[in-house]
Amino acid sequence: MFLDRREGSKLHKGSVLVGYDLGERCSQISYCIYGQEDVDTVATVVGTKQYNIPTMLCKRGGVNQWYYGKDAVKNANGENMFPVDGLLTAARQGEELELDGETFDPVALLTLFVKRSMALMNFIAPIEKIDAIMFTVDELDDRMVEILSLVSVNLGLKTSHIYFQSHTESFYSFMLHQQAELWYHQVMACE
């Protein structure tokens, strides 16, 4: 995976490694156990192959009750509900969002989304037991590194193995770690 050749790595057999693909419309969480070859993606409904988590929050008016993902989508058009999508764009822009008569920091809302969605990992390992995490986003620039760094700190991760990459870097890394015979052919990424 992405950490096995890094100097100073204190990962050991059985360490839980997480890949969090944070997208504007939907996100996915994958994981592997260090020392095993299999990488699995977390299903939003146990026992299904529903892997996409809509990158969305929805606040119930008058109370501090938040829905994320599919529950946010389901409740977005309900009475007295305040949907928030475009979380990455809002965080990039850095302008506070007004919902239900209150203002919210967009990075804090993005952190809330990531924290809630990471709860899906509790069946594998609780967040404090994650040994390494890689956040992947469409475009990784200085502002996004700053945002993801804030998100990481606010998640309360107990690891210093926190990494960020773009989709392009991810694809490149994936191809480099394939069998050499595959390098001889032309490779194309489609999204």
Side-chain angles (χ1 to χ4, degrees), residues 84-132:
V84 184
D85 56 3
L87 290 167
L88 281 175
T89 298
R92 273 187 189 277
Q93 293 170 347
E95 296 175 15
E96 290 191 337
L97 301 173
E98 188 169 326
L99 301 167
D100 193 23
E102 298 179 62
T103 57
F104 294 91
D105 173 18
V107 176
L109 293 178
L110 182 62
T111 301
L112 177 63
F113 170 79
V114 172
K115 186 177 281 193
R116 292 279 174 95
S117 59
M118 285 293 290
L120 293 168
M121 283 291 299
N122 284 339
F123 293 108
I124 295 96
I127 198 166
E128 61 273 1
K129 299 289 184 185
I130 293 172
D131 297 296

Side-chain angles (χ1 to χ4, degrees), residues 5-190:
R5 286 172 296 284
R6 300 211 187 239
E7 286 185 40
S9 177
K10 299 209 188 303
L11 297 176
H12 53 83
K13 199 169 194 157
S15 292
V16 178
L17 313 177
V18 174
Y20 195 115
D21 185 5
L22 186 57
E24 187 67 46
R25 290 181 299 151
C26 64
S27 299
Q28 287 188 358
I29 304 170
S30 297
Y31 68 95
C32 72
I33 309 301
Y34 191 74
Q36 298 178 6
E37 290 188 25
D38 293 337
V39 175
D40 290 313
T41 301
V42 178
T44 58
V45 178
V46 177
T48 69
K49 293 185 179 193
Q50 298 176 23
Y51 303 122
N52 288 338
I53 307 163
T55 309
M56 182 178 186
L57 291 171
C58 187
K59 181 186 184 306
R60 181 178 295 281
V63 293
N64 191 25
Q65 182 177 8
W66 292 86
Y67 300 95
Y68 82 95
K70 290 182 181 184
D71 287 336
V73 171
K74 183 173 75 175
N75 288 299
N77 294 322
E79 188 177 323
N80 203 27
M81 300 300 273
F82 297 87
V84 184
D85 56 3
L87 290 167
L88 281 175
T89 298
R92 273 187 189 277
Q93 293 170 347
E95 296 175 15
E96 290 191 337
L97 301 173
E98 188 169 326
L99 301 167
D100 193 23
E102 298 179 62
T103 57
F104 294 91
D105 173 18
V107 176
L109 293 178
L110 182 62
T111 301
L112 177 63
F113 170 79
V114 172
K115 186 177 281 193
R116 292 279 174 95
S117 59
M118 285 293 290
L120 293 168
M121 283 291 299
N122 284 339
F123 293 108
I124 295 96
I127 198 166
E128 61 273 1
K129 299 289 184 185
I130 293 172
D131 297 296
I133 188 165
M134 172 72 80
F135 286 98
T136 305
V137 291
D138 187 33
E139 292 182 42
L140 188 66
D141 55 16
D142 291 343
R143 175 66 180 147
M144 189 51 67
V145 168
E146 178 184 340
I147 291 165
L148 292 174
S149 295
L150 289 169
V151 168
S152 299
V153 166
N154 292 325
L155 284 177
L157 296 167
K158 306 282 191 234
T159 182
S160 60
H161 297 287
I162 302 169
Y163 306 96
F164 313 127
Q165 68 180 2
S166 69
H167 286 159
T168 304
E169 290 171 301
S170 178
F171 178 71
Y172 181 75
S173 178
F174 174 77
M175 287 311 303
L176 281 180
H177 291 93
Q178 297 304 305
Q179 298 170 358
E181 305 85 62
L182 295 179
W183 298 355
Y184 300 124
H185 304 287
Q186 292 182 352
V187 179
M188 178 175 66
C190 299

